[in-house]
Structures are given as structure tokens and as C-alpha cells.
Amino acid sequence: MSGNGRAGHITLPEIDSTNAEGFRRAQTLAGPTWILAGVQTAGRGRRARPWSSPPGNFHGTLVLKPTEPPETVALRSFAAALALRDAFVQMTGFPSSFTLKWPNDVLCNGGKIAGILLESQGLNTPDATLCIGIGVNLIAAPDAAQIEAGAVPPVSLLSETGLRITPEAFLDALAPACDRWEATFRREGFAPLRAAWLAHAARLGQPIRARTGSQTREGTFETIDPQGNLVLRTPAGTLAIPAAEVFF
């Protein structure tokens, strides 16, 4: 996601975590850069959960040097989700198969096929770095028995579509899509991303559960607001939730 031309890329056979490598290399990078790993030995998802990273799946990070305030920088998770969906549709020709789950997952036929992890350091300083970590189950998905009860079951692109796509080929579709959404975000702000995201949102207008810490709220998924918060309509009123685990 560059606003100044296409991002470069670095491919490594094995690394602990592409986000960790992004931070290690950040100060030496001349511009937006993708880091792609054949294998991650310590991949992680949200809340530091381990992320299964077998060979053949996509494990990549886009390293950026953002200049905006932290709340604006965080909205790039929606740009990444939209770019992922564009890449999936381009490579499969199945637009109806791919939906977006708040806050940062992509679903294929209702199962989780990709996740996004934003991590940042030094925002609002000259050394600001944002690492947008993306994991895609191209050929393998974790065992459903390892997934938290009630969570969306994981699926792979191969199992759902029969298509075997390499990580390198997927990056060839994903990187330009990220560039396009980044350019839109810089030029027009969050509004067009919000509209596009809502057009592909999973379970919009339907009952969901949102868990924040030990508290779980149930209600109707009404929208996302201009700050990217989940808007949940409950019997007690309408809530704007900035961060939560969502269950269907």
C-alpha cells in the first residue's frame, strides 16, 4: 500500500514472523515494502495467538511509514481486507464467495480464509512504522478442533475452490490491489473504504455476538461508523464498539 508508487518486495525462505522482520528492517527500507516468507516459525494473529504457517500458505507483511494519527492509521485494516477480497475475486472469478468479517478477517463460503494483523511502532514520530501482517490459507487450514468454540471455522482456498495458487502468484494480485486502496484512502479518506467494506460485510443486519474481555454483547450488526467501530443494536440501545471478538 504505497501512495507513491508500487511497493517493493523481499522474499525469505523462513522467518520467525514477517511482522517482526518488518520492524527489524524498517529503518533500512526506502519505501513501502512487502516481506514474504515461505515458512513462519512464530507467526501470530490477534491477541498474540499462534498463527499456523505451513509451506504453501501466504505469510506476508506490508511495511509502511505512515504520517497520520494512530486512529487514522488503524483504518488501513479495512483497506487490507478490501484488497484481499479483490485479489481473491481476481484469481478465482467467484465474487459471491468472499465476504468481510469485522474487524479484520476475510471469509470464503462462510469460513475464515485470511486474517490481518496491524502492528505499529513510533506513530506520530519521524520513525513511525506500520506492519500490516496478512495470513492466507491458500492450500491448508488449521484443524477445526484447535479453534475456539463458536469461532468461524477455517477453510483453505484449495479446499473451497479447487485452485492451487502459490504465495508469489497471490502477492502479484494482492500488491496492486493494496496500492489501489491505499491511493483511494490517501486521496478520499475512509468514506469510500467504509462504503465498499459494508457492501461485502458478512452478517450485516443479522444477530451477532461481540465479546470484549469478559463481557459479551448480543445484538444486530447495524453498520460500521466513520471511525471503523462496530455498531451493534441491542435491547439496551445502540453501541459503537471499537474492538471485540465477533461470533456469529
Side-chain angles (χ1 to χ4, degrees):
M1 268 177 210
S2 88
N4 353 320
R6 298 186 65 173
H9 72 273
I10 297 166
T11 300
L12 303 166
E14 182 176 307
I15 197 69
D16 53 352
S17 152
T18 57
N19 270 20
E21 184 69 6
F23 287 121
R24 287 192 289 263
R25 291 181 180 248
Q27 299 312 312
T28 68
L29 301 176
T33 302
W34 282 94
I35 296 175
L36 185 65
V39 174
Q40 286 187 127
T41 58
R44 60 190 185 277
R46 295 181 68 234
R47 304 184 189 275
R49 292 174 179 143
W51 181 273
S52 176
S53 305
N57 279 358
F58 181 93
H59 326 113
T61 290
L62 178 56
V63 186
L64 299 176
K65 305 291 184 65
T67 58
E68 305 94 346
E71 61 271 17
T72 302
V73 171
L75 294 173
R76 283 186 170 85
S77 65
F78 295 94
L82 288 163
L84 271 166
R85 185 182 179 278
D86 286 352
F88 283 126
V89 172
Q90 176 186 330
M91 302 207 80
T92 66
F94 302 147
S96 63
S97 293
F98 299 96
T99 55
L100 306 176
K101 178 178 178 284
W102 189 90
N104 51 12
D105 293 338
V106 181
L107 308 184
C108 177
N109 300 330
K112 180 174 174 176
I113 194 170
I116 300 161
L117 176 65
L118 266 64
E119 295 183 305
S120 60
Q121 292 180 359
L123 296 183
N124 285 335
T125 76
D127 294 326
T129 301
L130 174 68
C131 287
I132 304 175
I134 294 176
V136 181
N137 300 331
L138 289 177
I139 65 168
D143 185 342
Q146 301 173 0
I147 305 304
E148 184 178 1
V152 172
V155 298
S156 74
L157 191 66
L158 179 61
S159 68
E160 294 300 305
T161 69
L163 297 171
R164 185 178 289 271
I165 293 171
T166 67
E168 294 77 12
F170 191 76
L171 183 60
D172 286 343
L174 178 61
C178 282
D179 285 336
R180 290 192 297 271
W181 283 111
E182 172 72 4
T184 298
F185 183 53
R186 287 173 176 257
R187 186 176 60 248
E188 302 177 47
F190 183 55
L193 278 68
R194 176 175 177 262
W197 192 96
L198 285 167
H200 304 297
R203 302 296 177 98
L204 188 65
Q206 298 182 35
I208 62 170
R209 289 180 292 128
R211 189 175 70 199
T212 54
S214 60
Q215 186 173 26
T216 298
R217 298 180 174 95
E218 297 188 10
T220 300
F221 177 18
E222 199 162 76
T223 188
I224 58 170
D225 69 15
Q227 290 73 47
N229 299 318
L230 172 73
V231 178
L232 194 65
R233 189 172 73 250
T234 76
T238 300
L239 302 173
I241 300 173
E245 299 278 352
V246 169
F247 298 86
F248 294 156

